[in-house]
Amino acid sequence: VSTQSTWDYQFWNMKEGSQPQLGMRKPKLDKRNYMFVGLSDQELIKKPGEINGEAFKLDGLKNCTIWLLDHFSQIYADNLTNCKIYIGAITSSIQLRKSSGITLSVVCQQFRCTDCIDCTLHLCVNSQPTIETSTDMVIAPYNFAYPGLDKDIIAAKVDPKQNYWRYVHDMSSEPDEVHWKLATPSEFKTVVKSVEGMEEPKFVVPIPKYYGGSQEESEEFVLEKEKTEGFLIAATKEEAQKQIDVLENAPANIVEVKKDELPFEAFQFNQEKPKVASFPATGFSDINQEEMDLFTKKESADAQRLISLREKLLEEGKKKLEKQNKGAKEFADWKESNSKEIAKKREQNIERENQIESEKKKKDSNKNSWELVMSYIDIKEGGYQGSKDV
């Protein structure tokens, strides 16, 4: 019996809960069990414990429903079309690329999608989700539950309460175009997947009240832990109203905006000029007075906090600009000085070459003159009379 076969027997016959002995290696994984590739019109599932923290690959799937009920190290999803994907927890990141018509639910540390169209993303993510060269994207909070999700989240080391799902960082090259929006309450639906022989699923990722859950909306609608590069997003009517109140009380030289131009689903602004995304607007007519009064006492503090943050950002921008200008001036001075020095050396070289050429011409001229004179000297020795070059 080979050493490998003996080891395999020892490994697979260990008692449940025991640890491998010193010198034992983890059995080689069959990659085919850790991917769904090139399938169409199927329901695909990985049950709890089948992946157990390994990486997973989705590629070339069409019209499929995928259930990944486990925790993963990372997931790569490429070239997917019209698929519904429900995922547990990911220790690091998921990358969604070159896909369209996707509905995705995932808990992860990092999320990024590139070259995607018409996708709905239900996210619980511990950092800013990033989209790049993608359009018609709808962003919503995580909406999925299955047996053991709580254990998978712990195993993946993801904090379900630290959810930056709505703070999207758009890296697209057209900054003036709107590529994504936040889902409305009518677009938000929860999904539950049961597994035979396991406990009933329960929701462990908090759902905001605005979407029918129990999570209280944070008063801090300005994302401070992550850079938002000068713009803010309002995820609820209350937050949008806060920002509107601040804008109305702000100095005229900072912003100029009318209240009736700001739909809450797509309100965003930068440090100097507000922008309003081109999503369907519901306006503020359905906000009752009671909802508005809840924030009356905090308006002043919220406005002061936002203005202070804006002043801080402007000051940081001014310092950065001064530093850049100083560096540019130093470089320009160095370049000008260097150019003068090079020009001076070039002129000196040209003058030296001209001087050498002049001396050469003078020497050649003297030689020709001497030969011409000597050719006509009469030589009268030995009875010979004529001309001879000397």
Side-chain angles (χ1 to χ4, degrees):
V1 179
S2 67
T3 304
Q4 182 64 34
S5 299
T6 302
W7 176 85
D8 288 341
Y9 176 82
Q10 291 174 346
F11 181 85
W12 293 113
N13 285 277
M14 287 191 301
K15 294 181 180 180
E16 183 178 358
S18 64
Q19 298 294 326
Q21 299 299 317
L22 183 65
M24 289 187 176
R25 295 177 299 174
K26 187 177 180 181
K28 186 176 181 180
L29 301 175
D30 187 346
K31 293 182 179 180
R32 293 173 296 180
N33 295 329
Y34 298 87
M35 63 176 67
F36 290 137
V37 177
L39 302 174
S40 300
D41 304 302
Q42 295 188 36
E43 183 174 10
L44 309 170
I45 186 170
K46 288 295 180 180
K47 295 181 180 179
E50 291 186 352
I51 305 300
N52 196 28
E54 299 292 340
F56 202 86
K57 178 181 179 180
L58 302 171
D59 195 354
L61 305 178
K62 185 176 181 180
N63 300 325
C64 292
T65 299
I66 301 105
W67 308 93
L68 302 180
L69 313 181
D70 209 337
H71 67 280
F72 306 80
S73 60
Q74 57 187 351
I75 290 182
Y76 298 96
D78 299 279
N79 307 304
L80 310 179
T81 305
N82 299 330
C83 292
K84 295 181 180 180
I85 309 169
Y86 304 98
I87 305 175
I90 304 175
T91 303
S92 57
S93 65
I94 176 173
Q95 298 190 39
L96 178 64
R97 299 173 290 200
K98 297 181 180 179
S99 300
S100 63
I102 303 302
T103 298
L104 171 68
S105 299
V106 63
V107 177
C108 58
Q109 292 281 357
Q110 299 176 356
F111 175 86
R112 182 167 185 168
C113 71
T114 307
D115 299 328
C116 294
I117 301 174
D118 188 24
C119 297
T120 299
L121 310 174
H122 294 85
L123 306 176
C124 176
V125 55
N126 285 175
S127 59
Q128 278 186 278
T130 301
I131 66 173
E132 184 176 7
T133 58
S134 300
T135 57
D136 298 330
M137 310 296 287
V138 178
I139 313 298
Y142 190 70
N143 66 336
F144 182 45
Y146 66 88
L149 174 59
D150 52 345
K151 298 176 184 176
D152 287 333
I153 288 177
I154 293 174
K157 300 179 181 179
V158 180
D159 184 355
K161 296 182 180 179
Q162 185 179 331
N163 191 359
Y164 294 133
W165 65 273
R166 65 189 178 190
Y167 297 102
V168 178
H169 177 42
D170 188 351
M171 296 179 64
S172 302
S173 58
E174 305 88 3
D176 294 331
E177 296 184 9
V178 176
H179 304 108
W180 63 277
K181 72 169 185 174
L182 299 175
T184 62
S186 61
E187 294 174 315
F188 182 83
K189 307 293 181 183
T190 56
V191 179
V192 176
K193 180 65 173 177
S194 299
V195 178
E196 186 176 355
M198 298 188 69
E199 70 273 14
E200 287 298 315
K202 58 182 179 180
F203 288 93
V204 295
V205 177
I207 298 175
K209 273 190 174 182
Y210 182 68
Y211 290 98
S214 59
Q215 184 186 33
E216 295 287 347
E217 292 294 338
S218 172
E219 296 179 8
E220 296 294 334
F221 61 92
V222 177
L223 182 61
E224 296 177 344
K225 293 184 179 180
E226 300 287 344
K227 294 292 182 182
T228 57
E229 296 193 359
F231 67 86
L232 305 174
I233 302 296
T236 66
K237 299 176 185 179
E238 291 83 2
E239 291 181 359
Q241 185 59 47
K242 285 182 182 180
Q243 297 180 14
I244 290 171
D245 293 339
V246 171
L247 291 175
E248 288 181 341
N249 295 324
N253 61 344
I254 296 180
V255 291
E256 294 180 2
V257 64
K258 295 180 180 179
K259 180 176 179 179
D260 57 5
E261 294 178 351
L262 301 174
F264 81 91
E265 290 96 341
F267 177 79
Q268 60 182 4
F269 65 90
N270 58 26
Q271 297 176 22
E272 298 179 354
K273 182 180 179 181
K275 297 179 181 179
V276 180
S278 58
F279 300 127
T282 60
F284 294 89
S285 58
D286 55 342
I287 302 179
N288 58 45
Q289 187 61 40
E290 182 179 355
E291 290 176 326
M292 298 296 295
D293 291 343
L294 291 176
F295 295 94
T296 302
K297 295 180 180 179
K298 299 177 182 178
E299 282 185 358
S300 178
D302 291 337
Q304 187 59 44
R305 183 169 62 253
L306 185 57
I307 291 174
S308 297
L309 176 62
R310 179 181 293 143
E311 290 176 350
K312 182 179 178 181
L313 291 172
L314 289 173
E315 185 64 26
E316 290 178 355
K318 187 184 297 183
K319 290 181 180 179
K320 184 180 292 186
L321 183 61
E322 289 176 353
K323 185 176 180 180
Q324 291 175 349
N325 290 339
K326 182 179 179 181
K329 186 176 183 304
E330 290 177 352
F331 177 76
D333 292 342
W334 172 84
K335 187 175 181 181
E336 182 179 359
S337 175
N338 194 43
S339 298
K340 289 181 178 179
E341 185 176 350
I342 292 174
K344 184 177 179 180
K345 288 183 179 180
R346 184 181 293 113
E347 290 177 358
Q348 290 175 350
N349 291 335
I350 292 173
E351 185 178 353
R352 188 180 299 110
E353 289 175 359
N354 291 338
Q355 185 177 358
I356 293 172
E357 184 68 22
S358 178
E359 290 177 356
K360 182 179 179 182
K361 288 182 179 180
K362 185 177 180 181
K363 184 182 293 185
D364 291 343
S365 177
N366 291 338
K367 181 179 178 181
N368 293 335
S369 299
W370 174 253
E371 289 178 350
L372 182 61
V373 170
M374 293 301 295
S375 64
Y376 290 98
I377 295 177
D378 291 335
I379 300 177
K380 299 179 180 181
E381 293 182 3
Y384 177 80
Q385 182 176 356
S387 62
K388 184 178 180 181
D389 290 341
V390 179

